Amino acid sequence: MACDVSIELERGRIRADMSGFLSLSDVAAFARDEQEGAREIIRHKGYFDLLVQTPGAKAQGQDVMGAFQQLVVRSPLKARRIAIVAASPLLRMQIRRVLPNDHIKAFETVVEADAWLDDMSLAPQPA
């Protein structure tokens, strides 16, 4: 598995490119990189969004999907919105089943995901 995490400071966005079949250690490495990027973006923007691209990725094991589910719930710094781009219909279905949440959406294309994240009218408002 490969996972590259980068930040787009001006957009308040973390981009993660993932491919292949993930392991629990891959999820842990992603979590570390994502939280490090989140700290930097939050210092400048006060929030962050997450865009995960999964070109060529297949449906993942239950242990990996469970680890991602726990990551969403337990991360100290939480993304305002999470857009996951998955070309595989099976992977999109798995994402929707395991991560059913209004601030997490699965998309077929990066264009759709970016448009959703860029639409500030859909962003959760601070309490």
Side-chain angles (χ1 to χ4, degrees):
M1 188 299 289
C3 181
D4 295 313
V5 175
S6 61
I7 65 169
E8 297 178 358
L9 193 58
E10 289 305 312
R11 291 176 94 178
R13 189 166 302 163
I14 294 174
R15 283 189 183 263
D17 294 315
M18 299 179 183
S19 61
F21 198 71
L22 307 177
S23 69
L24 292 176
S25 62
D26 294 328
V27 176
F30 163 74
R32 284 190 305 273
D33 292 346
E34 184 252 2
Q35 289 292 286
E36 181 179 310
R39 280 189 286 281
E40 184 173 344
I41 293 173
I42 288 171
R43 277 196 301 271
H44 292 88
K45 302 290 277 186
Y47 67 88
F48 77 99
D49 292 324
L50 176 61
L51 173 60
V52 179
Q53 298 179 86
T54 61
K58 308 287 187 237
Q60 300 294 313
Q62 288 182 356
D63 58 339
V64 168
M65 292 306 291
F68 275 116
Q69 189 176 37
Q70 290 303 308
L71 180 62
V72 168
V73 171
R74 294 187 177 158
S75 287
L77 304 173
K78 295 182 182 354
R80 182 178 62 167
R81 289 182 290 175
I82 301 170
I84 304 169
V85 180
S88 162
L90 183 58
L91 182 55
R92 285 194 308 276
M93 183 178 68
Q94 187 180 38
I95 291 164
R96 289 181 188 115
R97 181 178 50 81
V98 175
L99 301 170
N101 195 306
D102 288 341
H103 81 283
I104 302 170
K105 295 211 183 284
F107 298 91
E108 191 171 346
T109 70
V110 174
V111 172
E112 294 170 318
D114 273 329
W116 181 67
L117 290 173
D118 288 339
D119 187 344
M120 296 306 287
S121 70
L122 301 174
Q125 300 303 312

